């Protein structure tokens, strides 16, 4: 190397650059001010200030320096190392300016904007909040975000890797060469960033990370908003699209709705298996096809909300989305992110809410994901007694780390803000709350007070719920929590976790166990249907019959029930009637609404052909009518959260296996009589809350639902005989394995009074 190149760049810097070991890359590449000897040497002549531009462009033959303002050539970079290191002076200029590089390759000439000429794009406030765990919109600067800087369009890449020796962006454009786009290091907070102009939307990228020990590996972007299918698993630069929403009326209505006083009936859906197309049913429906088919179906069935099983990107189909790698990326399986937005928009405009199953309890060990992200335990705990989940062979988030807190908080905000979801159902909350969850003695570490509670996870959940309810009025935050943890739905300022609702797992387990018993023995287990009312008002509950209850050999709801087909279908209708009458919101997994026979499989469509048969049609009609009754009867939802909304008539009739109760709100009442045996009970007396005529609003034994048409011919007349704490009562016929719903009808009462007056 002659003297001039040595002035432009040191040989040691060249070696480090070629080996991708020059860490403070922005101090080397790009445009810098240096002092150079004068053109004419003299004893009294001092060095002069000049601008040098350095670039690393493997394979290039020649590089010209151009002014970005007018495109005029202002200099040329010398090839100072044949492996692609160029350096040169910018003429006699001394003030930095925007520039481009015209690069000559053997077969082409390209004009590029050098990314190393741009300053950092991260604000101090963002960095501070991110590290503190209080940044709830980190996705605006983390990951890949489009920016326009000084008129130049490009993508700002930013990733957190505090213990990495080096992080490089590798992508299609730089041929996945980790030496080409080494990122700027922010040592104080562990962030790495690089603004890359002229990048193409939908191009693939990853981060090449060099750990302190020298190991190099590739990672997908934790904040990537789109991801390639396995086995590539690359992150994808998002397109420059601004979706125009049309759901402002829905959002306004949602913000003014008190959901604990409103009907909430949720249809849980696995988008990949609700319905498929193709000769062998091998092709998923797209978001547009789902909008065309799923929305009308759910509306016809009378549901208020759809709940999507996890749709964050996940490599393994068999995880159903519960082991996501790329929680900011909607899965590629059904379409692009803007098509998901259009689907949710269509739901809202049709009057349907959309909830998302969200996984923050753990993450999988896929090597391209979060595990040992920068060579150290970054997102997870280092000690496996805290950091590994024994049941699922997954890793547990380190909730006490501010950057992890910001990562998860921002992700929840992302789905609600960018996609307008109406709430999140948090999976496996119990595993978050307890340090000894599924662990034997000695396999877990106590908290600072010696207890089993995960204090960091509790603080995260409280902060999450508080912030999201403040930012998005009218959403629902729902916990799948299977223990008796107190105050799951209590306000945070009262010591609770701050959720809006909690799945009632106790009701689900008890009632399904009861359902599986032969009617001969149900009288000995009557309390399995009644015990839930002891605690029904301690939390804001959702009664859930989810996907978990119809997989892994558990069989479908229909399959759980003993007896012949008549008994199975009749029992299922009676059970669903009891569920819709029981306090609490409703959730039913897809397929259960028409009594799918086989247990659910993610690999195929639901068995829609069963609807060619009347018994399955009958269950479908029954669920639809239950939803219609629920949505239009304030007695079922007006005081759903309050003990005054429910009253037992008889919870102790174990010998007959009959339950009778009143749902009420104000002066509105509905009576439920549920018979869980195949016996017909005639002259069966029940108490009535007021005098008059009572219509059979619903009778699951109706022929329309596939029953035997036993009932009361649609009408029950009260008698002034006190019974079950009521001044009025009546003798009715209770159909077999059925649910009967009665409602006092003022018009009927007036007609009866007229008849009685005429008879007198």
């Amino acid at each position: 190397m002659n003297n001039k190149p040595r002035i432009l760049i040191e040989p040691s810097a060249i070696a480090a650059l070629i080996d991708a070991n020059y860490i403070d890359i922005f101090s080397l590449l790009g445009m810098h001010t240096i002092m150079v000897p004068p053109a004419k040497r003299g004893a009294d002549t001092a060095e002069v200030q000049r601008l040098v531009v350095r670039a690393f462009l493997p394979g290039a033959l020649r590089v010209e320096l151009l002014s970005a303002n007018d495109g005029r050539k202002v200099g040329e970079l010398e090839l100072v190392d044949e492996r692609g290191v160029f350096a040169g002076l910018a003429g006699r200029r001394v003030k930095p300016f925007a520039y481009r590089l015209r690069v000559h390759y053997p077969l082409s000439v390209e004009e590029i904007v050098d990314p190393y000429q741009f300053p950092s794009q991260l604000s101090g406030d963002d960095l501070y909040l991110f590290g503190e765990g209080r940044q709830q919109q980190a996705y605006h600067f983390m990951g890949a975000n489009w920016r326009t800087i000084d008129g130049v369009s490009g993508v700002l890449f930013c990733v957190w890797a505090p213990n990495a020796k080096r992080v490089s962006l590798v992508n299609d454009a730089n041929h996945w060469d980790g030496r080409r786009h080494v990122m700027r290091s922010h040592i104080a907070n562990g962030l790495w960033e690089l603004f890359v102009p002229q990048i193409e939307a939908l191009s693939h990228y990853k981060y090449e990370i060099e750990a302190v020990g020298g190991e190099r590996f590739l990672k997908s972007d934790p904040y990537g908003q789109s991801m390639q299918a396995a086995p590539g698993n690359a992150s994808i630069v998002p397109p420059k699209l601004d979706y125009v929403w049309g759901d402002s009326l829905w959002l306004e209505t949602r913000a003014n709705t008190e959901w604990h006083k409103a009907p909430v009936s949720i249809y849980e859906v696995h988008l990949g298996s609700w319905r498929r197309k193709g000769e062998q049913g091998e092709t998923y429906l797209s978001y547009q096809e789902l909008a065309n088919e799923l929305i009308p179906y759910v509306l016809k069935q009378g549901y208020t909300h759809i709940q999507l099983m996890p749709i964050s990107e996940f490599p393994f189909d068999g995880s159903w989305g519960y082991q996501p790698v790329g929680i900011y990326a909607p899965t590629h399986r059904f379409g692009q992110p803007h098509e998901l937005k259009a689907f949710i928009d269509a739901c809202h405009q049709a009057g349907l809410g959309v909830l998302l199953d969200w996984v923050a309890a753990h993450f999988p060990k896929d090597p391209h994901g979060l595990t040992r992200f920068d060579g150290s335990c970054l997102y997870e705990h280092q000690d496996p007694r805290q950091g590994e989940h024994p049941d699922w062979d997954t890793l547990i988030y380190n909730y006490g780390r501010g950057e992890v807190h910001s990562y998860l908080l921002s992700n929840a905000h992302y789905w609600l803000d960018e996609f307008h979801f109406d709430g999140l159902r948090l999976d496996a909350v119990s595993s978050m709350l307890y340090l000894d969850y599924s662990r034997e003695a000695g396999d877990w570490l106590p908290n600072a007070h010696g207890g089993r509670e995960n204090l960091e996870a509790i603080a995260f959940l409280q902060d999450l719920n508080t912030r999201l309810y403040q930012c998005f009025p009218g959403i629902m935050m729902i916990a799948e929590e299977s223990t008796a943890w107190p105050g799951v739905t209590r306000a945070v300022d009262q010591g609770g976790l701050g959720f809006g609702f909690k799945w009632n797992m106790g009701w689900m387990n008890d009632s399904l166990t009861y359902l599986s018993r032969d009617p001969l023995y149900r009288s000995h287990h009557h309390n399995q249907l009644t015990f839930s009312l002891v605690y029904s008002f301690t939390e804001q509950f959702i009664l859930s019959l989810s996907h978990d209850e119809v997989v892994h050999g558990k069989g479908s709801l229909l399959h759980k029930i003993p007896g012949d087909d008549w008994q199975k279908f009749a029992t299922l209708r009676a059970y669903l009637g009891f569920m819709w009458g029981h306090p609490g919101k409703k959730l039913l997994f897809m397929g259960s609404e028409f009594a799918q026979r086989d247990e659910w499989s993610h690999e195929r469509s639901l068995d829609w052909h069963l609807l060619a048969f009347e018994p399955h049609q009958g269950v479908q009609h029954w669920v639809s009518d239950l939803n219609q009754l629920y949505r239009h009867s304030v007695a079922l939802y007006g005081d759903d959260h309050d003990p005054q909304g429910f009253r037992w008539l008889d919870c102790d009739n174990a010998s007959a296996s009959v339950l009778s109760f009143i749902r009420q709100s104000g002066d509105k009442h509905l009576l439920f009589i549920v018979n869980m045996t195949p016996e017909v009970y005639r002259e069966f007396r029940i108490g009535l809350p007021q005098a008059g005529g009572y219509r059979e609003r619903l009778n699951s034994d109706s022929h329309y639902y596939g029953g035997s048409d036993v009932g009361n011919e649609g009408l029950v007349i009260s008698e002034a005989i006190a019974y079950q704490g009521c001044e009025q009562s009546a003798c009715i016929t209770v159909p077999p394995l059925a649910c009967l719903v009665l409602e006092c009808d003022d018009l009927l009462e007036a007609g009866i009074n007229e008849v009685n007056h005429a008879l007198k």
Side-chain angles (χ1 to χ4, degrees), residues 257-272:
T257 301
E258 296 182 88
W259 289 110
H260 63 290
K261 298 180 180 179
V264 176
S265 182
I266 304 167
Y267 188 62
E268 188 190 20
V269 180
H270 179 264
L271 292 179

Side-chain angles (χ1 to χ4, degrees), residues 21 163-166 209-217 372 374-376:
N21 282 325
N163 300 310
K165 180 180 177 183
R166 171 185 58 84
I209 297 177
E210 181 175 349
V212 173
E215 179 188 5
R216 297 179 181 181
F217 44 86
R372 296 189 66 84
D374 63 358
S376 67

Side-chain angles (χ1 to χ4, degrees), residues 303-316:
Y303 291 96
T304 64
H305 290 74
I306 299 171
Q307 180 172 301
L308 305 183
M309 289 172 65
I311 58 170
S312 295
E313 196 58 82
F314 55 101
F316 177 48

